[in-house]
């Protein structure tokens, strides 16, 4: 069956049409600047990208344009919408209600709306995409695949915060974690590459991009992850601070005469390697600045790598050992220096990286030395394929 995968942002929409039997991408694209002036990039498999600038006042119009491109006589890959069997939607936050992907019903939509408080920038956009597809493709089965679902196997000792328990009971304040679809795909792929079953391995997945998170996957189930109630917790990221002393918020607010909202904006959008380096949120720019002698850029890279290494150590302890460590996402897949620097902290685990094998960029590979006690891997993530798989499995 052909499955249309939709990933809605507040002003963007990514899509892929995937043949679930062969797992081939038939077409993919991106709608940008929705609600502003509109830009559509569409790429049928094996053909050049098509760039258009149609007006896109809202997501419904954007999805209508996507469907027109998919069925277009010249640029399309299917003759009619009848050849699309289902739609799989990425939904950022499913709270505690959703522990796995599910078929979308009116009740499911209400439950997703109830989670808007946890992801006010993302969940409403997901719902816009769902409702637009309902309008344009009435009766077509749709599936919600949640970023948080894979992490719902965490035990209470991992997801509870040491706050008065009434805040958990009243408001659901706990660790949820994100990037779950990526962690699920990469942990399963890691086992496949090693020729073993996920149920036999202890795996640490390092999803390192502008947004970044780690997960401890023990025998196929996530037992801990670095992001928390929101994606702000955990690692140092492109613009996010990651872990810090919460008293810093009050201190900055008092010293700078800021509101809590203004401080939170700094932690989310002006911190991380961008804030520390003063250069950029793009790790390539920060590395270039460090190579030119910018000490703050060098500090930013060191802090980022050190934080990742600390989390790896914590998760090795949480699982009482680790069999494999997989690097994924933009930075994890393409930056051998970052992988090598992080693994340089892991000698106590018997982990040894192979310099030659580590010269991979976006390729699936084992990058550890033959005598490494822990397998080190580069594993490109594929969240869209995971969404398609989950959708096909439910149908």
């Amino acid at each position: 069956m052909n499955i249309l995968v939709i990933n809605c942002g507040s002003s963007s929409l990514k899509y892929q049409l995937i043949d679930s039997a062969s797992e081939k991408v038939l077409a993919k694209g991106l709608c940008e600047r929705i609600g502003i002036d509109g830009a559509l990039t569409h790429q049928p498999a094996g053909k050049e990208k098509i760039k258009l600038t149609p007006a896109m006042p809202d997501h419904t119009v954007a999805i209508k344009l996507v469907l027109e491109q998919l069925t277009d006589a010249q640029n399309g890959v299917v003759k009619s919408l009848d050849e699309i069997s289902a739609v799989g939607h990425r939904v950022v936050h499913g709270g505690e209600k959703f522990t796995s992907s599910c078929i979308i019903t009116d009740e499911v939509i209400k439950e997703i709306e109830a989670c808007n408080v946890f992801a006010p920038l993302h969940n409403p956009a997901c719902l816009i995409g769902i409702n637009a597809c309902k309008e344009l493709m009435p009766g077509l089965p749709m599936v919600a695949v949640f970023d948080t679902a894979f992490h719902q196997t965490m035990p209470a000792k991992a997801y509870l915060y040491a706050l008065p328990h009434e805040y958990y009971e009243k408001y659901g304040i706990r660790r949820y974690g994100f990037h779950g679809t990526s962690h699920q795909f990469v942990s399963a792929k890691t086992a496949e590459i090693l020729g073993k079953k996920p149920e036999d391995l202890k795996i640490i997945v390092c999803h390192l991009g502008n947004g970044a998170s780690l997960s401890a996957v023990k025998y196929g189930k996530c037992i801990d992850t670095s992001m928390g109630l929101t994606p702000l917790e955990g690692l140092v990221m492109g613009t996010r601070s990651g872990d810090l002393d919460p008293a810093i918020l009050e201190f900055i607010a008092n010293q700078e005469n800021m509101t809590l909202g203004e401080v939170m904006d700094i932690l989310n959008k002006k911190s991380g390697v961008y804030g520390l380096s003063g250069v950029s949120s793009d790790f390539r720019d920060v590395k270039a600045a460090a190579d030119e002698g910018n000490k703050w850029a060098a500090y930013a890279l060191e802090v980022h790598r050190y934080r990742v290494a600390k989390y790896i150590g914590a998760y090795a302890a949480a699982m009482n050992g680790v069999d494999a460590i997989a690097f994924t996402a933009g930075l994890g897949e393409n930056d051998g220096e970052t992988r090598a620097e992080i693994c340089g902290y892991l000698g106590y685990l018997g982990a040894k990286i192979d310099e030659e094998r580590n010269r991979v960029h976006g390729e699936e590979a084992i990058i550890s030395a033959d005598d490494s006690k822990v397998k080190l891997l580069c594993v490109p993530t594929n969240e869209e394929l995971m969404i398609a798989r989950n959708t096909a499995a439910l149908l």
Side-chain angles (χ1 to χ4, degrees):
M1 66 176 74
N2 294 329
I3 294 173
L4 178 60
V5 175
I6 297 287
N7 181 352
C8 276
S10 57
S11 62
S12 66
L13 184 154
K14 289 192 250 184
Y15 66 92
Q16 288 190 12
L17 185 65
I18 298 174
D19 179 343
S20 64
S22 65
E23 296 195 338
K24 289 182 179 179
V25 177
L26 304 178
K28 62 182 178 180
L30 171 66
C31 296
E32 298 178 280
R33 299 177 65 79
I34 297 171
I36 307 172
D37 48 14
L40 170 63
T41 302
H42 175 72
Q43 184 171 22
K47 295 183 181 180
E48 294 294 318
K49 289 181 180 177
I50 298 144
K51 295 185 177 181
L52 305 168
T53 55
M56 280 188 244
D58 54 42
H59 285 71
T60 301
V61 172
I63 291 175
K64 184 178 180 181
L65 290 166
V66 168
L67 298 178
E68 288 176 356
Q69 286 300 310
L70 291 173
T71 56
D72 182 76
Q74 185 175 352
N75 304 323
V77 292
V78 292
K79 292 180 180 179
S80 73
L81 295 182
D82 292 339
E83 294 181 45
I84 298 176
S85 303
V87 182
H89 291 270
R90 178 207 178 204
V91 181
V92 169
H93 214 302
E96 289 189 311
K97 176 72 176 181
F98 299 104
T99 59
S100 62
S101 303
C102 66
I103 294 173
I104 295 173
T105 63
D106 290 341
E107 182 61 31
V108 166
I109 290 174
K110 290 178 182 178
E111 293 290 349
I112 294 173
E113 287 175 347
C115 294
N116 284 0
V117 65
F118 296 124
L121 296 179
H122 296 90
N123 269 31
C126 300
L127 287 165
I128 289 171
I130 290 170
N131 288 320
C133 287
K134 277 183 67 180
E135 179 182 335
L136 295 168
M137 295 176 281
L140 193 70
M142 295 195 295
V143 168
V145 180
F146 300 91
D147 273 13
T148 50
F150 183 63
H151 303 306
Q152 286 297 300
T153 52
M154 287 190 292
K157 64 183 178 183
Y159 70 69
L160 288 176
Y161 291 115
L163 295 168
H165 62 81
E166 65 195 72
Y167 296 134
Y168 167 65
E169 293 168 331
K170 288 167 65 176
Y171 308 118
I173 295 177
R174 50 158 286 179
R175 172 174 282 105
Y176 289 99
F178 300 89
H179 297 140
T181 309
S182 176
H183 287 285
Q184 182 183 16
F185 178 86
V186 172
S187 57
K189 192 67 175 179
T190 297
E192 180 185 320
I193 293 169
L194 297 178
K196 296 188 176 182
K197 296 179 180 179
E199 295 79 12
D200 297 329
L201 295 172
K202 298 174 182 177
I203 300 170
I204 295 173
V205 177
C206 305
H207 179 108
L208 306 179
N210 193 277
S213 63
L214 261 67
S215 65
V217 184
K218 186 175 183 180
Y219 307 143
K221 296 185 182 298
C222 178
I223 66 156
D224 208 343
T225 191
S226 58
M227 284 180 166
L229 174 73
T230 74
L232 183 59
E233 187 179 1
L235 305 177
V236 172
M237 305 176 222
T239 63
R240 297 184 190 125
S241 65
D243 296 340
L244 47 68
D245 180 348
I248 290 172
L249 279 72
E250 182 184 37
F251 186 88
I252 293 175
N254 290 338
Q255 295 298 317
E256 297 286 332
N257 193 28
M258 289 181 172
T259 65
L260 179 58
E262 289 171 331
V263 176
M264 290 302 297
D265 189 66
I266 289 172
L267 298 187
N268 274 294
K269 299 178 181 178
K270 300 176 183 179
S271 298
V273 295
Y274 169 63
L276 194 52
S277 70
V279 173
S280 172
S281 63
D282 189 310
F283 283 83
R284 293 167 294 189
D285 296 338
V286 178
K287 183 180 182 302
D291 290 342
E292 292 172 1
N294 184 320
K295 72 173 185 179
W296 286 105
Y299 286 152
L301 295 177
E302 289 174 3
V303 169
H304 169 262
R305 293 161 182 173
Y306 179 64
R307 182 75 59 85
V308 175
K310 283 209 300 182
Y311 263 94
I312 289 173
Y315 288 169
M319 295 191 293
N320 196 16
V322 57
D323 299 306
I325 300 170
F327 293 90
T328 193
L331 187 68
E333 294 171 23
N334 295 290
D335 192 334
E337 180 181 316
T338 292
R339 294 190 298 257
E341 290 292 328
I342 292 168
C343 291
Y345 287 99
L346 309 179
Y348 67 98
L349 293 173
K352 295 182 184 178
I353 201 164
D354 183 280
E355 185 176 337
E356 188 61 35
R357 293 173 181 170
N358 189 40
R359 298 182 192 277
V360 294
H361 299 277
E363 302 158 36
E364 187 180 291
I366 295 174
I367 58 175
S368 49
D370 291 337
D371 60 344
S372 178
K373 292 182 180 178
V374 177
K375 293 292 184 183
L376 307 172
L377 301 93
C378 175
V379 183
T381 191
N382 195 331
E383 293 171 273
E384 290 79 14
L385 178 56
M386 197 74 244
I387 292 171
R389 284 177 178 174
N390 286 352
T391 301
L394 278 170
L395 298 176

